[in-house]
Amino acid sequence: MQANTIRILALCGSLRPNSSNHALIQFISANAPAVVACTLFEGIDCLPHFNPDLDILDADKAVKHLRDAISQADGVIVCTPEYAFGVPGSLKNALDWTVYSGSLHGKPAAIITASSSGEKAHTALLHIFTALGASVASGAALLVPYIRTKVNNQGEVTDEATRQALLRVMDALLGEINKEQPNP
Ligand SMILES: Cc1cc2nc3c(=O)[nH]c(=O)nc-3n(C[C@H](O)[C@H](O)[C@H](O)COP(=O)(O)O)c2cc1C
């Protein structure tokens, strides 16, 4: 990885192998500027259930892995469906593990909710990222309803408006990162 590489960590709220949210992350990764390295965080389902009494720094290997991955990233993208009008438990669990460590505090972040509807989870995520102190730029939050009609069985994003909207989210996230780390 080159010194000027911009590292983006993606957290996916769906654990399904053929997840449409995963497909959106792959689209963003494939269409990002060459200077961007976008990595999917793979360990979200390996985290223990959040317990504030166990929430000490470096207490758990999987938790440390998550916190280190976030700390080493220049920016974070969350891409998630809505389950039962809320944020998927696995994703919320991961985010809860970052409260005490402050890993997301001041971190440029983008929030994409791609679901059948998704409005409630999207609103909740915006509140959660405010609580975590992340920097969600204007333009870096996107709700994609009717997601199953916009991604095909091969995991390709087929809806042109969605493709353009995803590129704009990436632009907004990169703008926020550059604001935090201005060129010398
Ligand atoms: C248990 C369950 C609950 C769901 N609840 C909602 C919901 O409340 N709102 C919504 O918009 N979609 C809901 N959905 C539909 C998901 O948005 C849809 O399955 C989406 O494609 C999942 O994202 P993925 O393809 O990335 O896994 C639910 C799906 C499941 C399996």
Side-chain angles (χ1 to χ4, degrees), residues 12-16 18-23 79-86 114-120 147-148:
C12 187
S14 172
L15 302 179
R16 293 193 317 118
N18 296 324
S19 158
S20 31
N21 278 275
H22 191 205
C79 196
T80 185
E82 174 179 275
Y83 288 157
F85 290 174
S115 206
S116 302
S117 156
E119 287 161 28
K120 294 178 180 67
I147 182 59
R148 293 288 185 105

Side-chain angles (χ1 to χ4, degrees), residues 1 13 17 29 61 78 102 144 169:
M1 196 177 291
S29 180
K61 206 173 153 193
V78 166
V144 187
V169 167

Side-chain angles (χ1 to χ4, degrees), residues 8 13-14 22 32 35 38 41-42 61 78 94 106 134 136 143 147 159 164 166 168 171 173-175 178 182:
I8 307 283
S14 172
H22 191 205
V35 72
C38 190
F41 181 76
E42 300 276 5
K61 206 173 153 193
V78 166
V136 181
L143 174 64
I147 182 59
D159 180 58
Q164 294 304 319
L166 292 170
R168 286 195 296 275
D171 275 354
L173 178 60
L174 293 178
N178 287 333

Side-chain angles (χ1 to χ4, degrees), residues 117-169:
S117 156
E119 287 161 28
K120 294 178 180 67
H122 196 60
T123 303
L125 271 173
L126 290 169
H127 286 306
I128 291 165
F129 273 68
T130 300
L132 296 172
S135 298
V136 181
S138 122
L142 175 68
L143 174 64
V144 187
Y146 311 113
I147 182 59
R148 293 288 185 105
T149 67
K150 296 169 179 172
V151 173
N152 67 15
N153 289 337
Q154 288 72 47
E156 295 159 341
V157 184
T158 49
D159 180 58
E160 185 55 28
T162 301
R163 293 164 68 93
Q164 294 304 319
L166 292 170
L167 297 179
R168 286 195 296 275
V169 167

